[in-house]
Amino acid sequence: QVQLVESGGGLVQPGGSLRLACTASGSILSVVAMGWYRQAPGKQRELVASITAGHSTNYADSVKGRFSISRDNAKNTVYLQMNSLKPEDTAVYYCNCRAYTSVGSWDDYWGQGTQVTVSS
């Protein structure tokens, strides 16, 4: 199986910055893509940003220009640099990893979530 360990959440004032990190480990043959989702109270989980093994990125419109996703393929680690944070960015952020664990078989794996709170 695949385990994801997240770090970097916390409380920050509006306009501040945070950096999230997530490392995947376990029976990984190859990682297709990694990304971050978030879920605010009473709302559905939504994609924040994703990055493929080839470093192609995708961002939610609400975070474009403020958030930046990157990855270290050798370490199976993905980072989310969050700048100019707004109160509406407050949510639990979940790391996602799409990986092959055997030939021809991939699956989505999730971290436990890390709380990001933007408040003065």
Side-chain angles (χ1 to χ4, degrees):
Q1 289 299 318
V2 176
Q3 298 81 40
L4 302 180
V5 177
E6 303 155 337
S7 63
L11 172 64
V12 64
Q13 292 186 341
S17 298
L18 282 174
R19 189 190 194 211
L20 306 182
C22 172
T23 298
S25 63
S27 305
I28 299 172
L29 287 183
S30 65
V31 174
V32 177
M34 298 185 76
W36 292 93
Y37 289 70
R38 67 186 181 187
Q39 188 167 17
K43 295 187 177 181
Q44 290 187 332
R45 189 175 295 189
E46 62 176 359
L47 173 69
V48 177
S50 64
I51 184 167
T52 68
H55 296 272
S56 294
T57 58
N58 182 42
Y59 294 93
D61 287 343
S62 59
V63 306
K64 284 180 180 177
R66 300 188 298 122
F67 291 11
S68 177
I69 191 168
S70 60
R71 63 185 285 178
D72 183 333
N73 287 343
K75 297 180 180 180
N76 284 336
T77 297
V78 64
Y79 305 96
L80 185 68
Q81 178 65 43
M82 305 185 293
N83 299 326
S84 302
L85 282 161
K86 304 176 180 179
E88 50 263 44
D89 295 317
T90 296
V92 178
Y93 283 69
Y94 295 91
C95 177
N96 169 267
C97 176
R98 177 165 292 181
Y100 284 92
T101 55
S102 61
V103 176
S105 176
W106 60 265
D107 207 343
D108 282 314
Y109 300 90
W110 295 91
Q112 78 281 1
T114 184
Q115 178 70 45
V116 171
T117 302
V118 184
S119 175
S120 55

